[in-house]
Amino acid sequence: MILRSKSLALFAVFSFATAVVAQEDGAPRYQDVEGEEIFGPDYQPQAAPEKGLPLYIGRPNAGISAPDSLLLLPQDSFRPMSGTWSLPNEDLQRQLPSEVPLLRDVRRGFQTWQVPRLNPNRGLPAPPADLGAEMKVHYVYVGQGAGAIIELPCGVAAVDLGGEFGGGSGSVDGGSLFVAYLKAFMEQHPSYSNTIDVVYLSHAHADHINGAKQLATSGIAIDKVVDNGQTSTEGSVGKQTDFRNWATEGDLKHRYSAVELARQVTATGATNAAIDPFSCATVTAFWGGANEKLASPGYSNPNNHSVVLRFDFGQASFLFMGDLETNAAKDMLDQFDENTEVFDADVLQLAHHGAEDGINDSLLKMVSPRIAILSMGDRTSKGPQSGWGHGHPRLDSLSILQDDPVTVGEMRSSPQTFWGYPKEEVPTKEVIINRAIYGTGWEGTIVVTATQSGQYTVATGQGH
């Protein structure tokens, strides 16, 4: 259902280099029955006119592994584009190896297995680093929303910049909380030269990108940007578009990557020098902008256009789901039906802050996480964009995560009593958490430390 808001809440076009004009708090132009921004008749995302770097075949540490020789070729090499190739002789053709898993829609479209031979222009993955090295993921408390810092021996990244916004008793400015934590982090880690190697924006919703305006004036430099490619001059997509242009200083061809479903070919995910600028880790992107599905049920919600990210650090693995809802998660598994094991990971940031529509049983079974993270608000805030306003985390979601059949593999050192919501805008109820399920609204910023041998430790209570 699409509702016309009295407040247009237009996002003004601006230059980040001179001034930042924030999207007004309050109702977006179009919203669903839960008050969440959605696309409408005159608010439709366009594909990025400049896609940035070409997508290459991902090679995460799970599922089927593509041959080394194919990692040098852009994914566009494998598209059925018979009307655009010019092949003067048979020497410029080669047979597509049968062992390469392809997305379902792409495989169906092939009339022949022959594709052009292209010159490689991407290096092979670096060899594994010291197994004793550590990475840390800081799941920052930002109220109802998401923002994380990926701390690696060879660099640093941010996954989403958002957090709670708007009025209401006890509400917080999640974007400011995230950037304040990031600035303190940079001060404590001078080796990173006050520079983020890459900022990943999962999708254009305020609770995931509202820290953009504070980051733009923080003095912290940004080298590369990855998002779902959706482009507009209005709404949160407008905010995403202008952040991408500001952060890359207009050099989109070399410092940006659009992760769009239509650009992906192989069921091993996508990568390039923006998605994965790190020598000590492997980063793979999945899904992202699916503008071709806008007329399908559920795809008017930006949640279902989330970029899904996987980080591999030796034998350690982290998966970030954005806000991908159950219907899009099902579609993603259908596309990756030849290689669903690619989503098997140890640490899972759950989609949509513990909402019921962020829990997909089939995907959870495939991920089989050892540790689950909820980026969520606390119960003191009563604003419309708070955990209370949305009813996150839902008690039913928590039950799915830890009741039989068990989803989260590891146990807490001792059971803890926390809380969840039966539904939105009602009092919380206590719940005992005995599995390794952690929530920023329960425990503040959560820092998960991983070694390359796949050992994890969890620290809570930071910055809340």
Side-chain angles (χ1 to χ4, degrees), residues 231-353:
T231 300
S232 178
T233 59
E234 300 181 6
S236 291
V237 178
K239 190 171 188 178
Q240 171 176 282
T241 302
D242 286 323
F243 176 79
R244 137 195 344 151
N245 291 333
W246 165 78
T248 61
E249 298 178 345
D251 186 11
L252 295 174
K253 288 185 177 181
H254 303 100
R255 298 177 59 189
Y256 170 66
S257 181
V259 179
E260 298 169 318
L261 178 60
R263 299 181 66 204
Q264 297 172 52
V265 173
T266 63
T268 59
T271 192
N272 57 33
I275 295 169
D276 184 6
F278 304 111
S279 61
C280 62
T282 300
V283 188
T284 312
F286 309 90
W287 206 247
N291 294 346
E292 66 274 22
K293 292 180 175 287
L294 281 171
S296 302
Y299 284 92
S300 64
N301 194 315
N303 288 342
N304 287 328
H305 301 266
S306 291
V307 177
V308 175
L309 291 169
R310 178 189 177 99
F311 287 77
D312 286 297
F313 184 69
Q315 297 177 38
S317 53
F318 293 77
L319 194 65
F320 293 81
M321 296 300 301
D323 276 350
L324 203 70
E325 296 179 2
T326 52
N327 56 337
K330 181 182 182 299
D331 288 348
M332 184 173 71
L333 288 177
D334 286 345
Q335 283 282 297
F336 282 76
D337 62 351
E338 297 181 14
N339 194 29
T340 53
E341 294 83 0
V342 77
F343 300 111
D344 184 6
D346 290 343
V347 184
L348 171 66
Q349 184 185 52
L350 287 154
H352 212 187
H353 323 290

Side-chain angles (χ1 to χ4, degrees), residues 158-439:
V159 179
D160 288 330
L161 308 169
E164 190 171 331
F165 64 98
S169 173
S171 65
V172 300
D173 182 347
S176 293
L177 288 176
F178 181 77
V179 174
Y181 188 98
L182 180 60
K183 289 176 69 174
F185 172 87
M186 286 297 185
E187 291 173 359
Q188 296 164 9
H189 298 82
S191 62
Y192 292 134
S193 302
N194 207 37
T195 299
I196 305 172
D197 291 285
V198 55
V199 172
Y200 306 93
L201 299 179
S202 64
H203 66 293
H205 259 165
D207 61 332
H208 287 250
I209 63 175
N210 259 2
K213 61 184 183 293
Q214 291 93 342
L215 183 56
T217 58
S218 68
I220 297 172
I222 300 166
D223 190 39
K224 295 180 175 66
V225 173
V226 173
D227 63 30
N228 65 8
Q230 292 184 329
T231 300
S232 178
T233 59
E234 300 181 6
S236 291
V237 178
K239 190 171 188 178
Q240 171 176 282
T241 302
D242 286 323
F243 176 79
R244 137 195 344 151
N245 291 333
W246 165 78
T248 61
E249 298 178 345
D251 186 11
L252 295 174
K253 288 185 177 181
H254 303 100
R255 298 177 59 189
Y256 170 66
S257 181
V259 179
E260 298 169 318
L261 178 60
R263 299 181 66 204
Q264 297 172 52
V265 173
T266 63
T268 59
T271 192
N272 57 33
I275 295 169
D276 184 6
F278 304 111
S279 61
C280 62
T282 300
V283 188
T284 312
F286 309 90
W287 206 247
N291 294 346
E292 66 274 22
K293 292 180 175 287
L294 281 171
S296 302
Y299 284 92
S300 64
N301 194 315
N303 288 342
N304 287 328
H305 301 266
S306 291
V307 177
V308 175
L309 291 169
R310 178 189 177 99
F311 287 77
D312 286 297
F313 184 69
Q315 297 177 38
S317 53
F318 293 77
L319 194 65
F320 293 81
M321 296 300 301
D323 276 350
L324 203 70
E325 296 179 2
T326 52
N327 56 337
K330 181 182 182 299
D331 288 348
M332 184 173 71
L333 288 177
D334 286 345
Q335 283 282 297
F336 282 76
D337 62 351
E338 297 181 14
N339 194 29
T340 53
E341 294 83 0
V342 77
F343 300 111
D344 184 6
D346 290 343
V347 184
L348 171 66
Q349 184 185 52
L350 287 154
H352 212 187
H353 323 290
E356 288 178 279
D357 63 15
I359 298 289
N360 178 283
D361 288 339
S362 297
L363 182 61
L364 285 174
K365 182 178 179 181
M366 187 54 59
V367 177
S368 62
R370 294 167 57 182
I371 299 168
I373 306 293
L374 293 163
S375 185
M376 59 188 237
D378 63 27
R379 58 180 171 180
T380 64
S381 176
K382 302 299 182 183
Q385 303 302 327
S386 65
W388 172 84
H390 290 287
H392 299 163
R394 290 292 172 91
L395 291 171
D396 287 346
S397 298
L398 299 174
S399 177
I400 290 171
L401 291 173
Q402 65 174 1
D403 293 347
D404 290 332
V406 171
T407 299
V408 178
E410 292 194 358
M411 304 288 289
R412 282 179 171 261
S413 57
S414 61
Q416 299 290 319
T417 299
F418 295 117
W419 46 264
Y421 289 95
K423 61 180 183 177
E424 68 276 8
E425 298 185 356
V426 299
T428 59
K429 291 187 176 181
E430 290 188 347
V431 58
I432 296 175
I433 302 296
N434 49 40
R435 292 280 165 178
I437 304 165
Y438 299 87

Side-chain angles (χ1 to χ4, degrees), residues 53-59 66-74 119-127 271-274 276-279 281-283:
L53 295 166
L55 299 181
Y56 289 89
I57 297 174
R59 200 179 192 185
D68 287 355
S69 60
L70 298 185
L71 303 183
L72 303 174
L73 300 176
N119 293 325
N121 59 356
R122 172 178 178 259
L124 293 174
T271 192
N272 57 33
D276 184 6
F278 304 111
S279 61
T282 300
V283 188

